[in-house]
Amino acid sequence: KHVVSGSEDKDVRLWSLDSGECVKTFSGHTRYVMCVCVTADGKYVVSGSSDKTLMVWSMQSGECLRTLSGHTQEVSSVCVTPDGKYVVSGSVDQTVRVWLLDSGECVRTHSDHTHLVTGVCVTSDSKYAISASRDLTLRV
């Protein structure tokens, strides 16, 4: 059993829940790590940062497999669809982006919010993404 964290030191860490010890450090972001999400199969960690990027990491090796670039401001939230196909990210740039996990390609950008995006999540059937914003709205 493990938990993943991101912090102001720019790193993502994997912690053992049994021992409380850090068992792996994922380094590569150039600014604060703002959000993290683990895929349902436990193979990958996706992190979002104030460096405007997301990084997809191998849980096993700790290697950064790809960097997702496209947001113009800090990445504030991230979620991976339960089927493991897509990454959904929200940003201070007021957009929600949908990325292919396997390639890192951005396949959709939603610009419906009028203030920064504070959270994103995906329904259990992987069909819908919901975003929350400081504009006091939720978008589906």
Side-chain angles (χ1 to χ4, degrees):
K1 296 178 184 178
H2 295 90
V3 66
V4 177
S5 68
S7 72
E8 292 182 1
D9 68 4
K10 308 173 195 170
D11 290 333
V12 175
R13 287 191 170 78
L14 178 68
W15 303 86
S16 167
L17 287 178
D18 294 331
S19 69
E21 299 289 323
C22 177
V23 295
K24 193 169 290 177
T25 301
F26 306 80
S27 298
H29 283 293
T30 59
R31 297 195 61 200
Y32 301 166
V33 176
M34 308 291 287
C35 49
V36 294
C37 186
V38 178
T39 58
D41 62 10
K43 291 182 180 180
Y44 306 102
V45 177
V46 182
S47 56
S49 170
S50 59
D51 66 11
K52 307 174 191 174
T53 69
L54 296 110
M55 290 186 167
V56 179
W57 308 89
S58 164
M59 185 75 84
Q60 183 177 2
S61 70
E63 174 188 5
C64 179
L65 303 175
R66 64 194 59 82
T67 300
L68 286 54
S69 299
H71 282 295
T72 60
Q73 294 186 47
E74 294 91 339
V75 178
S76 55
S77 53
V78 65
C79 188
V80 178
T81 57
D83 62 14
K85 292 181 181 178
Y86 299 98
V87 174
V88 180
S89 60
S91 172
V92 175
D93 68 11
Q94 305 176 12
T95 67
V96 173
R97 290 181 178 259
V98 180
W99 316 79
L100 292 174
L101 179 66
D102 287 342
S103 69
E105 176 189 358
C106 181
V107 294
R108 190 166 295 133
T109 301
H110 296 280
S111 304
D112 300 326
H113 286 294
T114 59
H115 208 300
L116 67 93
V117 177
T118 56
V120 293
C121 68
V122 178
T123 57
S124 60
D125 61 5
S126 298
K127 290 185 177 182
Y128 300 98
I130 298 101
S131 57
S133 169
R134 283 235 181 114
D135 65 13
L136 306 179
T137 65
L138 295 173
R139 303 279 182 183
V140 180

